[in-house]
Amino acid sequence: DLQKASELDPRNGELTFFLWQAYFEMRRYSECEQLIKKSAASGKPDLYNEHRLATIKLAQGNPVTAQSLLERLPLDFSPYADIWGTRFTAALYLRDYDAANRIVAATPAKWAEIAFDDSSSDWAYGQVARARGDKQRALAAFAAARQKKHALQSDKLEDAAYLIALAKYDAGLGRKDNAIRAARRAL
């Protein structure tokens, strides 16, 4: 349906985005890139497309190319949280832990709670610390993330998103049984 709608209304950017997203979720990356090329044929540079290309390259396991595409985006280009998550993931995959921490610190407050895999900045800092082998700092960050999530959503103890977050934080804290139990409750 999205393909047909996009053919009927090729200038509709919203349809193009949803079609791109559907292709991406199905891992049909070549179709994603074709949509981006078609969009770029209009002649004007599109920072959104640069981000989408970087997202594709990251999903394909090519963080070097993703990083070079992300470097074309000005740091103040921040219309949605995913850009910060992509920047963070690329830096983490490239083992540029200082850059990953700088990205977390630079993430605007309005995006900080969802940019990093729908988790807090503390979770992101924990990921970097764990990757560096700093177990103490990682545990402290995961504990802080868990505590914040619980303080914000303690009234939603049976909410699936809350339980998924707890499972993730408990896994980071090495609480395997608690993580599995929370994940099962989420299901």
Side-chain angles (χ1 to χ4, degrees):
D1 289 343
L2 283 171
Q3 286 173 328
K4 182 66 173 174
S6 184
E7 289 168 15
L8 293 172
D9 191 3
R11 293 183 186 191
N12 186 326
E14 192 173 346
L15 284 174
T16 302
F17 169 74
F18 286 124
L19 182 57
W20 179 89
Q21 193 172 35
Y23 285 150
F24 184 81
E25 294 298 326
M26 293 186 293
R27 293 182 173 90
R28 293 170 58 179
Y29 303 126
S30 62
E31 283 103 334
C32 288
E33 289 186 30
Q34 287 173 358
L35 280 174
I36 291 169
K37 285 177 187 172
K38 190 187 301 184
S39 173
S42 67
K44 62 179 185 175
D46 186 349
L47 298 177
Y48 293 95
N49 283 338
E50 293 293 318
H51 173 246
R52 289 181 191 125
L53 277 173
T55 303
I56 292 166
K57 295 306 175 188
L58 203 53
Q60 291 175 320
N62 189 344
V64 173
T65 302
Q67 183 63 34
S68 69
L69 290 164
L70 290 167
E71 287 171 356
R72 297 182 196 175
L73 300 177
L75 202 56
D76 63 350
F77 179 67
S78 183
Y80 46 83
D82 285 351
I83 289 173
W84 294 96
T86 305
R87 287 174 172 147
F88 172 76
T89 303
L92 198 61
Y93 286 179
L94 291 170
R95 295 185 174 104
D96 189 347
Y97 305 130
D98 292 334
N101 278 333
R102 284 192 304 273
I103 291 164
V104 176
T107 301
K110 68 181 180 180
W111 301 132
E113 291 303 312
I114 56 174
F116 311 108
D117 196 24
D118 287 328
S119 295
S120 71
S121 302
D122 291 314
W123 178 85
Y125 284 126
Q127 291 291 317
V128 174
R130 183 170 60 186
R132 280 190 160 142
D134 188 343
K135 187 174 182 175
Q136 290 298 98
R137 188 168 282 162
L139 291 174
F142 291 138
R146 190 184 196 289
Q147 186 176 4
K148 278 183 188 174
K149 182 61 102 176
H150 183 68
L152 290 172
Q153 293 189 317
S154 61
D155 61 329
K156 299 178 181 177
L157 297 177
E158 295 302 314
D159 182 68
Y162 172 73
L163 292 168
I164 290 167
L166 287 188
K168 186 175 1 182
Y169 300 144
D170 282 341
L173 289 164
R175 300 175 185 161
K176 179 181 173 183
D177 292 335
N178 290 354
I180 292 170
R181 195 170 21 260
R184 285 186 175 144
R185 279 181 44 210
L187 289 172

